Amino acid sequence: MIVRISGEGQFRLPDNDAERLNDLDNEAVTAVEAGDEDKFQSLFDQMLSLVESDGEAVAEDELVESDVILPPRDVSFEEAAGEFTGEGLIPD
Amino acid sequence: MPGLAGRMSTTIKAKISKMLDRAEDPAETLDYGYRKQQEHLQGVKKGIADVVTAKKRIQMQSKKLEEQVVKLDTQARQALSQNREDLARMALERKTAIQAELQGLDTQVTQLEQQQEQLIENEKRLRAKIEAFRTKKEVIKAQYSAAEAQVMISEAASGVGEEMADLGLAMQRAEEKTEDMKARANAVGELEQAGVFEDITQLEGGSSDIDRELAQLSQGAQVDDELAKMKAELGSGSDSPALEEGQK
């Protein structure tokens, strides 16, 4: 599975991390909906840690599409609520 | 609001796909994609330059404000030594307001620095991907049938496209932050023009709107504390230099 951290590039992760990552992602969105910033931050940190610990950076000359794209590391809670969750996606 | 939200990751993927869709179809990308990518890199360079300019302006303002903090502190001491607690209070109120402003500026400079570094990294990565794409395209064309080559090159193009779109996203965010910072720099500039950061000696006697505003801004408790501390320090020595009229 290829995961991109927006702004930081791509990482190759074992496929069995997908479920864990999805769970964390779903929980993070729930935290955003509940307005729980601390919880969101903690879950998002866990997602980043997972990618960092299990992932291997994709080579510079490798041209692949990502399966999953995570928000930038410095994403603010407001951005997460407004732009980076399904709730906030405003069609152009 | 249950059931409304998708995952963050799918939302961003959709966002990036949308940026990609706005580009031409992959087959066309093959032909003039390289030129397009080069144009994109130019945009990134301009974005980085903007960030650097905004950062420099804020840093210059910070420096000025820091000097002002030192000056106001000295003035507060001088005022107290002359038993002018009212003036000392005014100076400390100004100092507190400026310190709060400085803190905000520091945070923004740090954020912008990170953003700048990230953009530079992104640009490097995109450049490498574009180079790889160019090489790969030629190799694939030479080794496979036209139909096979088209599929493979399309895939490679989407890889580069995603990198480009992600860089576009990073640029957007950097621009927003740069705008925020410009707005803050302007706000500080306006305060400065309004005389908020001037020497108190130049404003003595005149209690303006600005003073009232400042009094609201500053945390009274902190000023009281500092006043008490200064009084204690000055309590013993009464030979402190006099506060001269109009002194800067």
Side-chain angles (χ1 to χ4, degrees), chain A residues 5-83:
Chain A
I5 300 176
S6 182
E8 284 178 45
Q10 297 170 298
F11 300 85
R12 180 169 276 112
L13 265 76
D15 286 342
N16 54 17
D17 275 340
E19 201 178 327
R20 173 88 184 117
L21 210 54
N22 279 340
D23 286 348
L24 287 168
D25 198 340
N26 287 332
E27 282 178 57
V29 172
T30 308
V32 167
E33 285 179 333
D36 190 340
E37 184 167 355
D38 289 344
K39 191 160 182 210
F40 164 75
Q41 204 56 57
S42 139
L43 287 161
F44 184 48
D45 286 347
Q46 286 179 57
M47 291 171 85
L48 293 172
S49 303
L50 183 67
V51 175
E52 274 161 8
S53 65
D54 290 12
E56 212 175 295
V58 169
E60 280 201 333
D61 61 354
E62 201 178 332
L63 307 173
V64 283
E65 239 184 294
S66 307
D67 300 299
V68 168
I69 302 178
L70 301 186
R73 186 177 294 269
D74 64 346
V75 66
S76 69
F77 187 64
E78 289 73 26
E79 276 180 308
E83 267 190 275

Side-chain angles (χ1 to χ4, degrees), chain B residues 75 78-79 81-82 87 200-201 204 241-245 247:
Chain B
Q75 288 183 330
Q78 288 175 336
S81 74
Q82 288 197 325
L87 270 186
I200 52 157
T201 45
E204 191 179 352
L243 178 67
E244 292 162 33
E245 275 305 308
Q247 181 183 338

Side-chain angles (χ1 to χ4, degrees), chain B:
Chain B
M1 304 162 272
L4 267 176
R7 290 179 187 130
M8 291 192 292
S9 50
T10 47
T11 305
I12 298 186
K13 188 120 168 68
K15 219 175 158 74
I16 287 199
S17 300
K18 207 193 266 177
M19 285 171 124
L20 272 177
D21 286 345
R22 242 176 255 157
E24 56 295 321
D25 75 88
E28 276 179 67
T29 311
L30 303 189
D31 293 328
Y32 70 109
Y34 186 67
R35 185 162 45 91
K36 190 106 193 139
Q37 288 156 358
Q38 289 294 334
E39 278 170 20
H40 205 91
L41 280 180
Q42 291 303 318
V44 174
K45 274 191 194 146
K46 197 185 157 290
I48 292 173
D50 279 352
V51 170
V52 172
T53 309
K55 194 178 84 178
K56 276 196 186 136
R57 178 153 179 227
I58 289 280
Q59 278 172 332
M60 263 165 55
Q61 282 185 328
S62 289
K63 213 175 139 234
K64 263 211 256 178
L65 291 182
E66 273 159 21
E67 285 165 8
Q68 205 56 35
V69 163
V70 174
K71 205 183 268 177
L72 284 168
D73 193 77
T74 309
Q75 288 183 330
R77 274 166 211 280
Q78 288 175 336
L80 257 196
S81 74
Q82 288 197 325
N83 290 323
R84 287 295 307 273
E85 188 172 331
D86 56 333
L87 270 186
R89 178 175 290 276
M90 202 195 280
L92 288 180
E93 278 171 356
R94 266 160 220 263
K95 186 181 137 184
T96 311
I98 292 177
Q99 280 175 327
E101 197 58 51
L102 267 173
Q103 241 173 17
L105 292 181
D106 279 351
T107 313
Q108 276 194 314
V109 167
T110 311
Q111 280 179 353
L112 265 201
E113 270 168 358
Q114 284 166 354
Q115 214 128 41
Q116 188 190 341
E117 272 169 35
Q118 214 181 44
L119 280 181
I120 291 169
E121 275 302 303
N122 281 12
E123 194 208 339
K124 226 177 85 192
R125 203 164 49 232
L126 180 59
R127 196 176 284 280
K129 297 272 178 199
I130 290 173
E131 229 20 72
F133 176 69
R134 206 153 68 131
T135 315
K136 198 163 266 178
K137 201 167 97 175
E138 295 315 310
V139 172
I140 291 171
K141 270 186 185 166
Q143 289 184 350
Y144 295 89
S145 74
E148 279 174 319
Q150 188 158 355
V151 172
M152 292 175 86
I153 293 174
S154 282
E155 277 169 11
S158 335
V160 181
E162 185 187 297
E163 194 73 48
M164 251 200 290
D166 189 46
L167 184 53
L169 197 66
M171 290 263 296
Q172 254 178 32
R173 294 183 80 239
E175 271 164 25
E176 278 163 21
K177 285 234 171 87
T178 307
E179 284 308 312
D180 282 356
M181 193 153 84
K182 279 187 194 156
R184 182 182 274 270
N186 287 339
V188 174
E190 274 164 25
L191 284 179
E192 204 175 358
Q193 275 199 327
V196 174
F197 303 144
E198 293 291 317
D199 281 288
I200 52 157
T201 45
Q202 290 170 0
L203 289 162
E204 191 179 352
S207 177
S208 58
D209 288 342
I210 292 162
D211 292 321
R212 278 199 294 281
E213 217 174 289
L214 262 179
Q216 281 173 350
L217 268 177
S218 61
Q219 289 116 359
Q222 190 186 333
V223 171
D224 286 339
D225 282 356
E226 284 209 58
L227 265 179
K229 216 190 287 171
M230 275 189 188
K231 276 186 195 163
E233 280 172 28
L234 290 164
S236 47
S238 52
D239 328 317
S240 316
L243 178 67
E244 292 162 33
E245 275 305 308
Q247 181 183 338
K248 291 232 161 176

